[in-house]
Structure formats: C-alpha cells, structure tokens
Coordinates of all heavy atoms in Angstrom, one line a residue:
M23 N 6.9 -6.5 18.5 CA 5.9 -7.5 18.3 C 5.2 -7.3 17.0 O 4.8 -6.2 16.6 CB 4.9 -7.5 19.5 CG 3.9 -8.5 19.4 SD 2.8 -8.4 20.9 CE 1.5 -9.4 20.3
S24 N 5.0 -8.4 16.2 CA 4.4 -8.3 15.0 C 3.2 -9.3 14.9 O 3.3 -10.3 15.5 CB 5.3 -8.5 13.8 OG 5.8 -9.8 13.8
A25 N 2.3 -8.9 14.1 CA 1.1 -9.9 13.9 C 1.6 -11.0 13.0 O 2.5 -10.9 12.2 CB 0.0 -9.1 13.2
D26 N 0.9 -12.1 13.2 CA 1.1 -13.3 12.4 C 0.6 -13.1 11.0 O -0.6 -13.1 10.8 CB 0.5 -14.5 13.1 CG 0.6 -15.8 12.2 OD1 1.4 -15.8 11.3 OD2 0.0 -16.8 12.6
P27 N 1.4 -12.9 9.9 CA 0.9 -12.7 8.6 C 0.0 -13.8 8.1 O -0.8 -13.6 7.2 CB 2.1 -12.5 7.7 CG 3.3 -12.5 8.6 CD 2.8 -12.9 10.0
A28 N 0.2 -15.0 8.6 CA -0.6 -16.2 8.1 C -2.0 -16.0 8.5 O -2.9 -16.7 8.0 CB 0.1 -17.4 8.6
S29 N -2.3 -15.2 9.5 CA -3.7 -15.1 10.0 C -4.5 -14.2 9.1 O -5.7 -14.1 9.3 CB -3.7 -14.5 11.4 OG -3.2 -13.2 11.5
G30 N -3.9 -13.4 8.2 CA -4.6 -12.5 7.4 C -4.8 -12.9 6.0 O -4.5 -14.0 5.6
T31 N -5.4 -12.0 5.2 CA -5.7 -12.3 3.8 C -4.7 -11.5 3.0 O -4.5 -10.3 3.2 CB -7.1 -11.9 3.5 OG1 -8.0 -12.6 4.3 CG2 -7.4 -12.2 2.0
D32 N -4.1 -12.1 2.0 CA -3.2 -11.4 1.1 C -4.0 -10.6 0.0 O -4.9 -11.2 -0.6 CB -2.2 -12.3 0.4 CG -1.2 -12.9 1.4 OD1 -0.9 -12.2 2.4 OD2 -0.7 -14.0 1.2
R33 N -3.6 -9.4 -0.2 CA -4.3 -8.5 -1.1 C -3.3 -7.6 -1.8 O -2.1 -7.6 -1.4 CB -5.3 -7.6 -0.4 CG -6.5 -8.3 0.3 CD -7.6 -8.8 -0.6 NE -8.1 -7.8 -1.4 CZ -9.3 -7.2 -1.2 NH1 -10.0 -7.4 -0.1 NH2 -9.8 -6.3 -2.1
T34 N -3.8 -6.8 -2.7 CA -2.9 -5.7 -3.2 C -3.5 -4.4 -2.8 O -4.7 -4.2 -2.9 CB -2.9 -5.8 -4.8 OG1 -2.4 -7.0 -5.2 CG2 -2.1 -4.6 -5.4
V35 N -2.7 -3.5 -2.2 CA -3.0 -2.2 -1.8 C -2.1 -1.2 -2.6 O -0.9 -1.4 -2.6 CB -2.9 -2.0 -0.3 CG1 -3.1 -0.6 0.1 CG2 -3.8 -2.9 0.5
Y36 N -2.7 -0.2 -3.2 CA -1.9 0.8 -3.9 C -1.5 1.9 -3.0 O -2.2 2.3 -2.1 CB -2.8 1.3 -5.1 CG -2.9 0.3 -6.2 CD1 -3.8 -0.7 -6.1 CD2 -2.2 0.4 -7.3 CE1 -4.0 -1.6 -7.1 CE2 -2.3 -0.5 -8.4 CZ -3.2 -1.5 -8.2 OH -3.3 -2.5 -9.2
V37 N -0.2 2.3 -3.2 CA 0.4 3.3 -2.4 C 0.8 4.5 -3.3 O 1.4 4.2 -4.4 CB 1.7 2.8 -1.6 CG1 2.3 3.9 -0.8 CG2 1.3 1.6 -0.8
R38 N 0.5 5.7 -2.9 CA 0.8 6.8 -3.7 C 2.3 7.1 -3.6 O 3.0 7.0 -2.6 CB 0.1 8.1 -3.2 CG 0.2 9.3 -4.1 CD -0.8 10.4 -3.7 NE -0.6 10.9 -2.4 CZ 0.1 12.0 -2.1 NH1 0.5 12.8 -3.1 NH2 0.2 12.4 -0.9
L39 N 2.9 7.3 -4.8 CA 4.3 7.7 -4.9 C 4.4 9.2 -4.8 O 3.7 9.9 -5.4 CB 5.0 7.2 -6.1 CG 5.0 5.7 -6.3 CD1 5.8 5.4 -7.6 CD2 5.6 5.0 -5.1
L40 N 5.4 9.7 -4.0 CA 5.6 11.2 -3.8 C 6.7 11.6 -4.8 O 7.5 10.9 -5.3 CB 6.0 11.4 -2.4 CG 5.0 10.9 -1.3 CD1 5.6 11.2 0.1 CD2 3.6 11.5 -1.5
A41 N 6.7 12.9 -5.1 CA 7.7 13.6 -5.9 C 7.8 13.0 -7.3 O 8.8 12.9 -7.9 CB 9.1 13.5 -5.2
E42 N 6.6 12.7 -7.9 CA 6.6 12.1 -9.2 C 6.1 13.2 -10.3 O 6.3 12.9 -11.5 CB 5.6 10.9 -9.3 CG 6.1 9.7 -8.5 CD 7.4 9.1 -9.1 OE1 7.5 9.0 -10.4 OE2 8.3 8.7 -8.3
G43 N 5.6 14.3 -9.8 CA 5.1 15.3 -10.8 C 3.7 15.1 -11.3 O 3.1 15.9 -11.9
T44 N 3.1 13.9 -11.0 CA 1.8 13.5 -11.4 C 1.3 12.4 -10.4 O 2.2 11.9 -9.7 CB 1.7 13.0 -12.8 OG1 0.3 12.9 -13.2 CG2 2.5 11.8 -13.1
N45 N 0.1 12.1 -10.4 CA -0.4 11.0 -9.5 C 0.1 9.7 -10.0 O -0.2 9.3 -11.1 CB -1.9 11.0 -9.4 CG -2.4 12.2 -8.6 OD1 -1.8 12.6 -7.6 ND2 -3.6 12.7 -8.9
V46 N 0.9 9.0 -9.2 CA 1.3 7.7 -9.5 C 1.0 6.8 -8.3 O 1.3 7.1 -7.2 CB 2.9 7.7 -9.8 CG1 3.4 6.3 -10.1 CG2 3.2 8.6 -11.0
W47 N 0.5 5.6 -8.6 CA 0.1 4.6 -7.5 C 0.9 3.3 -7.8 O 0.9 2.8 -8.9 CB -1.4 4.4 -7.6 CG -2.2 5.6 -7.2 CD1 -2.6 6.6 -8.0 CD2 -2.6 6.0 -5.9 NE1 -3.3 7.5 -7.3 CE2 -3.3 7.2 -6.0 CE3 -2.5 5.4 -4.6 CZ2 -3.8 7.8 -4.9 CZ3 -3.0 6.0 -3.5 CH2 -3.7 7.3 -3.7
R48 N 1.5 2.8 -6.8 CA 2.3 1.6 -6.9 C 1.6 0.5 -6.2 O 1.2 0.6 -5.0 CB 3.7 1.8 -6.1 CG 4.6 0.6 -6.0 CD 5.2 0.3 -7.3 NE 6.5 -0.1 -7.2 CZ 6.9 -1.4 -7.3 NH1 6.1 -2.4 -7.4 NH2 8.2 -1.7 -7.2
P49 N 1.3 -0.6 -6.9 CA 0.7 -1.8 -6.3 C 1.7 -2.4 -5.3 O 2.9 -2.6 -5.6 CB 0.4 -2.7 -7.4 CG 1.3 -2.3 -8.5 CD 1.6 -0.9 -8.3
A50 N 1.2 -2.8 -4.1 CA 2.1 -3.4 -3.1 C 1.3 -4.6 -2.5 O 0.1 -4.5 -2.3 CB 2.4 -2.4 -2.0
P51 N 2.1 -5.7 -2.3 CA 1.4 -6.8 -1.6 C 1.1 -6.3 -0.2 O 1.8 -5.5 0.4 CB 2.5 -7.9 -1.6 CG 3.8 -7.1 -1.7 CD 3.5 -5.9 -2.5
A52 N 0.0 -6.8 0.4 CA -0.4 -6.4 1.7 C -1.2 -7.6 2.4 O -1.8 -8.4 1.7 CB -1.3 -5.2 1.7
T53 N -1.1 -7.7 3.7 CA -1.7 -8.7 4.5 C -2.7 -8.0 5.4 O -2.4 -7.1 6.1 CB -0.7 -9.5 5.3 OG1 0.2 -10.1 4.4 CG2 -1.4 -10.5 6.1
E54 N -4.0 -8.4 5.3 CA -5.0 -7.9 6.2 C -4.8 -8.4 7.6 O -4.6 -9.6 7.8 CB -6.4 -8.3 5.7 CG -7.5 -7.6 6.5 CD -8.9 -7.9 5.9 OE1 -9.0 -8.7 5.1 OE2 -9.8 -7.1 6.4
L55 N -4.7 -7.5 8.6 CA -4.5 -7.9 10.0 C -5.8 -8.0 10.7 O -6.1 -9.0 11.2 CB -3.5 -6.9 10.6 CG -2.1 -6.8 9.9 CD1 -1.3 -5.7 10.6 CD2 -1.4 -8.1 9.9
S56 N -6.5 -6.9 10.9 CA -7.7 -6.8 11.6 C -8.4 -5.5 11.4 O -7.7 -4.5 11.2 CB -7.5 -7.1 13.1 OG -6.8 -6.1 13.7
D57 N -9.7 -5.4 11.6 CA -10.4 -4.1 11.5 C -10.0 -3.3 10.4 O -9.9 -2.1 10.5 CB -10.2 -3.4 12.9 CG -10.8 -4.1 14.1 OD1 -11.8 -4.8 13.9 OD2 -10.2 -3.9 15.2
G58 N -9.8 -3.9 9.2 CA -9.5 -3.1 8.0 C -8.1 -2.6 8.0 O -7.8 -1.7 7.1
V59 N -7.2 -3.0 8.8 CA -5.8 -2.6 8.8 C -5.0 -3.6 8.0 O -5.2 -4.8 8.1 CB -5.2 -2.6 10.3 CG1 -3.7 -2.3 10.2 CG2 -6.0 -1.5 11.1
Y60 N -4.2 -3.1 7.1 CA -3.3 -3.9 6.3 C -1.8 -3.6 6.6 O -1.5 -2.4 6.9 CB -3.5 -3.6 4.8 CG -4.8 -4.2 4.3 CD1 -6.0 -3.6 4.5 CD2 -4.8 -5.4 3.6 CE1 -7.2 -4.2 4.0 CE2 -5.9 -6.0 3.1 CZ -7.1 -5.4 3.3 OH -8.3 -5.9 2.8
Q61 N -1.0 -4.6 6.5 CA 0.5 -4.4 6.6 C 1.0 -4.5 5.2 O 0.9 -5.5 4.6 CB 1.1 -5.4 7.6 CG 2.6 -5.1 7.6 CD 3.3 -5.6 8.9 OE1 2.6 -6.1 9.8 NE2 4.6 -5.5 9.0
L62 N 1.7 -3.4 4.8 CA 2.2 -3.4 3.4 C 3.4 -4.3 3.4 O 4.3 -4.4 4.3 CB 2.6 -2.0 3.0 CG 1.5 -1.0 3.0 CD1 2.1 0.4 2.7 CD2 0.5 -1.3 1.9
G63 N 3.6 -5.0 2.3 CA 4.8 -5.8 2.0 C 5.7 -5.1 1.1 O 5.5 -3.9 0.8
E64 N 6.8 -5.7 0.8 CA 7.8 -5.1 -0.1 C 7.8 -5.8 -1.4 O 8.1 -7.0 -1.5 CB 9.2 -5.2 0.5 CG 10.2 -4.4 -0.2 CD 11.5 -4.4 0.5 OE1 11.5 -4.0 1.7 OE2 12.5 -4.7 -0.1
P65 N 7.4 -5.1 -2.5 CA 7.3 -5.8 -3.8 C 8.7 -6.1 -4.3 O 9.7 -5.5 -4.0 CB 6.6 -4.8 -4.7 CG 6.8 -3.5 -4.0 CD 7.0 -3.7 -2.6
S66 N 8.7 -7.1 -5.2 CA 9.9 -7.5 -5.9 C 10.5 -6.3 -6.6 O 9.7 -5.6 -7.3 CB 9.6 -8.6 -6.8 OG 10.7 -8.8 -7.7
G67 N 11.8 -6.0 -6.5 CA 12.4 -4.9 -7.2 C 12.3 -3.6 -6.6 O 12.7 -2.6 -7.1
F68 N 11.7 -3.5 -5.4 CA 11.6 -2.2 -4.7 C 12.9 -1.6 -4.4 O 13.8 -2.3 -3.9 CB 10.8 -2.4 -3.4 CG 10.8 -1.2 -2.5 CD1 10.0 -0.1 -2.9 CD2 11.5 -1.1 -1.4 CE1 10.0 1.1 -2.1 CE2 11.5 0.1 -0.6 CZ 10.8 1.1 -1.0
D69 N 13.1 -0.3 -4.7 CA 14.3 0.4 -4.5 C 14.0 1.7 -3.9 O 13.5 2.6 -4.5 CB 15.1 0.6 -5.8 CG 16.5 1.3 -5.6 OD1 16.7 1.8 -4.5 OD2 17.2 1.3 -6.5
P70 N 14.2 1.9 -2.6 CA 13.8 3.1 -1.9 C 14.6 4.3 -2.4 O 14.2 5.5 -2.1 CB 14.2 2.8 -0.4 CG 15.2 1.8 -0.4 CD 14.9 0.9 -1.6
R71 N 15.7 4.1 -3.2 CA 16.4 5.3 -3.7 C 15.7 5.9 -5.0 O 16.0 7.0 -5.3 CB 17.8 4.9 -4.1 CG 18.6 4.4 -2.9 CD 19.9 3.8 -3.3 NE 19.6 2.6 -4.0 CZ 20.5 1.8 -4.5 NH1 21.8 2.0 -4.5 NH2 20.1 0.7 -5.2
T72 N 14.8 5.1 -5.6 CA 14.1 5.5 -6.8 C 12.6 5.7 -6.6 O 12.0 6.3 -7.5 CB 14.4 4.5 -7.9 OG1 13.8 3.3 -7.6 CG2 15.9 4.4 -8.2
E73 N 12.1 5.2 -5.5 CA 10.6 5.4 -5.3 C 10.4 5.9 -3.8 O 10.9 5.3 -2.9 CB 9.9 4.1 -5.4 CG 9.8 3.5 -6.8 CD 9.0 2.2 -6.8 OE1 8.7 1.7 -5.8 OE2 8.8 1.8 -7.9
L74 N 9.8 7.1 -3.7 CA 9.4 7.6 -2.4 C 7.9 7.3 -2.2 O 7.1 8.0 -2.8 CB 9.7 9.1 -2.4 CG 9.3 9.8 -1.1 CD1 10.1 9.2 0.1 CD2 9.7 11.3 -1.2
W75 N 7.7 6.4 -1.4 CA 6.3 6.0 -1.1 C 5.7 6.9 0.0 O 6.4 7.2 1.0 CB 6.2 4.5 -0.5 CG 6.5 3.5 -1.5 CD1 7.2 3.6 -2.7 CD2 6.1 2.1 -1.4 NE1 7.2 2.4 -3.3 CE2 6.6 1.4 -2.6 CE3 5.4 1.4 -0.5 CZ2 6.3 0.1 -2.8 CZ3 5.2 0.1 -0.7 CH2 5.6 -0.6 -1.8
E76 N 4.4 7.2 -0.1 CA 3.7 7.9 1.0 C 3.7 7.1 2.3 O 3.9 7.6 3.4 CB 2.3 8.2 0.6 CG 1.5 9.0 1.6 CD 0.1 9.4 1.1 OE1 -0.4 8.8 0.2 OE2 -0.5 10.3 1.8
F77 N 3.6 5.8 2.2 CA 3.7 4.8 3.3 C 4.6 3.7 2.9 O 4.3 2.9 2.0 CB 2.3 4.3 3.7 CG 1.3 5.3 3.9 CD1 0.3 5.5 2.9 CD2 1.2 6.1 5.0 CE1 -0.7 6.5 3.1 CE2 0.3 7.1 5.2 CZ -0.7 7.3 4.2
P78 N 5.8 3.6 3.5 CA 6.8 2.7 3.0 C 6.4 1.2 3.3 O 5.5 1.0 4.2 CB 8.1 3.1 3.8 CG 7.6 3.9 4.9 CD 6.3 4.5 4.6
P79 N 7.1 0.3 2.7 CA 6.8 -1.1 2.9 C 6.9 -1.4 4.4 O 7.7 -0.8 5.2 CB 8.0 -1.9 2.2 CG 8.3 -0.9 1.0 CD 8.1 0.4 1.6
H80 N 6.1 -2.4 4.9 CA 6.1 -2.9 6.3 C 5.3 -1.9 7.2 O 5.2 -2.2 8.4 CB 7.5 -3.2 6.8 CG 8.3 -4.0 5.9 ND1 8.0 -5.3 5.6 CD2 9.3 -3.7 5.1 CE1 8.9 -5.8 4.7 NE2 9.7 -4.8 4.4
T81 N 4.7 -0.9 6.6 CA 3.9 0.0 7.4 C 2.5 -0.5 7.5 O 1.9 -1.1 6.6 CB 3.8 1.4 6.7 OG1 5.1 2.0 6.6 CG2 2.9 2.4 7.6
R82 N 1.8 -0.4 8.7 CA 0.4 -0.8 8.9 C -0.4 0.4 8.5 O -0.2 1.5 9.0 CB 0.2 -1.1 10.3 CG 0.9 -2.4 10.7 CD 0.7 -2.8 12.1 NE 1.4 -4.0 12.4 CZ 1.2 -4.8 13.4 NH1 0.1 -4.5 14.2 NH2 1.9 -5.9 13.6
V83 N -1.4 0.2 7.6 CA -2.2 1.3 7.0 C -3.6 1.0 7.1 O -4.1 -0.1 7.1 CB -1.7 1.6 5.6 CG1 -0.3 2.1 5.5 CG2 -2.0 0.4 4.7
R84 N -4.4 2.1 7.0 CA -5.9 2.0 6.8 C -6.0 2.3 5.3 O -5.2 2.8 4.6 CB -6.6 3.1 7.6 CG -6.4 2.9 9.1 CD -7.6 3.3 9.9 NE -7.4 3.0 11.3 CZ -7.7 1.8 11.9 NH1 -8.2 0.9 11.2 NH2 -7.4 1.6 13.2
H85 N -7.2 1.9 4.8 CA -7.4 1.9 3.3 C -8.8 2.5 3.0 O -9.6 2.6 3.8 CB -7.2 0.5 2.7 CG -8.4 -0.3 3.0 ND1 -8.6 -1.0 4.2 CD2 -9.5 -0.7 2.3 CE1 -9.7 -1.6 4.2 NE2 -10.3 -1.5 3.1
A86 N -8.9 2.8 1.7 CA -10.2 3.2 1.1 C -10.2 2.6 -0.3 O -9.2 2.2 -0.8 CB -10.3 4.7 1.1
T87 N -11.4 2.6 -0.9 CA -11.5 2.2 -2.3 C -11.4 3.4 -3.1 O -12.1 4.4 -2.9 CB -12.8 1.4 -2.5 OG1 -12.9 0.3 -1.6 CG2 -13.0 1.0 -3.9
K88 N -10.6 3.4 -4.2 CA -10.5 4.5 -5.1 C -10.8 4.0 -6.5 O -10.4 2.9 -6.9 CB -9.0 5.0 -5.1 CG -8.7 6.1 -6.1 CD -7.3 6.6 -6.0 CE -6.9 7.6 -7.0 NZ -7.8 8.7 -7.1
K89 N -11.5 4.9 -7.2 CA -11.8 4.6 -8.6 C -10.8 5.4 -9.4 O -10.7 6.6 -9.3 CB -13.3 5.1 -8.9 CG -13.7 4.7 -10.3 CD -15.2 5.0 -10.6 CE -15.6 4.4 -11.9 NZ -17.1 4.6 -12.0
F90 N -10.1 4.7 -10.2 CA -9.0 5.3 -11.0 C -9.6 5.8 -12.4 O -10.7 5.4 -12.7 CB -7.9 4.2 -11.3 CG -7.1 3.9 -10.1 CD1 -7.4 2.9 -9.2 CD2 -6.0 4.7 -9.7 CE1 -6.7 2.6 -8.1 CE2 -5.3 4.5 -8.5 CZ -5.6 3.4 -7.7
A91 N -8.8 6.5 -13.1 CA -9.3 7.2 -14.4 C -9.8 6.1 -15.4 O -10.6 6.5 -16.2 CB -8.1 8.0 -15.0
D92 N -9.2 4.9 -15.3 CA -9.6 3.9 -16.3 C -10.9 3.2 -15.9 O -11.4 2.3 -16.6 CB -8.5 2.9 -16.6 CG -8.2 2.1 -15.4 OD1 -8.8 2.2 -14.3 OD2 -7.3 1.2 -15.5
G93 N -11.5 3.6 -14.8 CA -12.7 3.0 -14.3 C -12.6 1.9 -13.3 O -13.5 1.4 -12.7
T94 N -11.3 1.4 -13.1 CA -11.1 0.3 -12.2 C -11.1 0.8 -10.8 O -10.8 2.0 -10.5 CB -9.8 -0.5 -12.4 OG1 -8.7 0.5 -12.3 CG2 -9.7 -1.1 -13.8
E95 N -11.5 0.0 -9.8 CA -11.5 0.3 -8.4 C -10.5 -0.6 -7.7 O -10.4 -1.8 -8.0 CB -12.9 0.2 -7.8 CG -13.8 1.2 -8.3 CD -15.2 1.1 -7.6 OE1 -15.4 0.2 -6.8 OE2 -16.0 2.0 -7.9
A96 N -9.8 0.0 -6.7 CA -8.8 -0.8 -5.9 C -8.7 -0.2 -4.6 O -9.0 0.9 -4.3 CB -7.5 -0.8 -6.7
L97 N -8.1 -1.0 -3.7 CA -7.8 -0.5 -2.3 C -6.5 0.4 -2.4 O -5.5 0.1 -3.1 CB -7.5 -1.6 -1.4 CG -8.6 -2.6 -1.1 CD1 -8.1 -3.7 -0.2 CD2 -9.8 -2.0 -0.6
V98 N -6.6 1.6 -1.7 CA -5.4 2.4 -1.6 C -5.2 2.7 -0.1 O -6.1 2.8 0.7 CB -5.6 3.8 -2.4 CG1 -5.8 3.5 -3.9 CG2 -6.8 4.5 -1.9
A99 N -3.9 2.9 0.2 CA -3.5 3.3 1.5 C -3.8 4.7 1.8 O -3.4 5.6 0.9 CB -2.0 3.0 1.7
I100 N -4.4 5.1 2.9 CA -4.8 6.5 3.2 C -4.3 7.0 4.5 O -4.2 8.2 4.6 CB -6.3 6.7 3.1 CG1 -7.0 5.8 4.2 CG2 -6.9 6.4 1.7 CD1 -8.5 6.2 4.4
A101 N -3.8 6.2 5.4 CA -3.4 6.7 6.7 C -2.6 5.5 7.4 O -2.9 4.4 7.2 CB -4.5 7.1 7.6
I102 N -1.7 5.9 8.3 CA -1.0 5.0 9.1 C -2.0 4.5 10.2 O -2.7 5.3 10.7 CB 0.2 5.6 9.8 CG1 1.3 5.9 8.7 CG2 0.8 4.7 10.9 CD1 2.5 6.6 9.2
A103 N -2.0 3.2 10.4 CA -2.9 2.6 11.4 C -2.3 2.6 12.7 O -1.1 2.5 12.9 CB -3.3 1.2 10.9

C-alpha cells in the first residue's frame, strides 16, 4: 500500500552519498506524506551502479534542516520513517 503522492507537497530533500571519500549530498525530489515524513523520488539520470545513497529512492524518510558550508540551508534525510 502506498500513499497518494498527490496529497503531499513536492520538495527537494538532500540524501548523503556513501563511499565518496568526502561529504557529498544529492538533491532528490520528495513528496511530503504526513508528520514530517517524505517519500524520496528518483531523480532523472539516477544510476544505482554509480551512486550509493544512504537512503535509496522511494524510501520514506524523516528529515532535518542542515546548514551547508556555503551558508545555504536545506532539508536532508536523516532516518528511515
């Protein structure tokens, strides 16, 4: 059973990439479901053979706001919901 994506709000949630040697965050489309839970989408050009995501596309995640080195703030995935 899946939630109706039309019921949520589309946002961008950043997902940490693993095995990169440095901190790398990938922007992913996401739909807000409820209570701060987002379902990650699959971005155009995603290739699971070249990117190892901490939380793969279609995962339901909890988020937090992160301030990046350039001073911008964005939502990041922090845990499976």
Side-chain angles (χ1 to χ4, degrees):
M23 180 175 163
S24 64
D26 176 10
S29 68
T31 302
D32 291 331
R33 298 284 304 261
T34 298
V35 173
Y36 286 77
V37 179
R38 189 167 63 101
L39 298 184
L40 305 176
E42 293 292 319
T44 188
N45 286 330
V46 177
W47 294 87
R48 173 74 141 102
T53 300
E54 186 173 14
L55 301 176
S56 65
D57 297 330
V59 173
Y60 285 82
Q61 181 157 352
L62 299 174
E64 186 171 310
S66 166
F68 172 71
D69 184 349
R71 297 170 295 180
T72 62
E73 292 183 351
L74 178 58
W75 288 24
E76 183 176 16
F77 308 105
H80 312 291
T81 303
R82 291 177 183 204
V83 296
R84 299 215 176 271
H85 73 282
T87 301
K88 176 176 177 51
K89 186 171 188 173
F90 290 94
D92 67 359
T94 61
E95 292 186 354
L97 298 179
V98 296
I100 60 166
I102 293 176

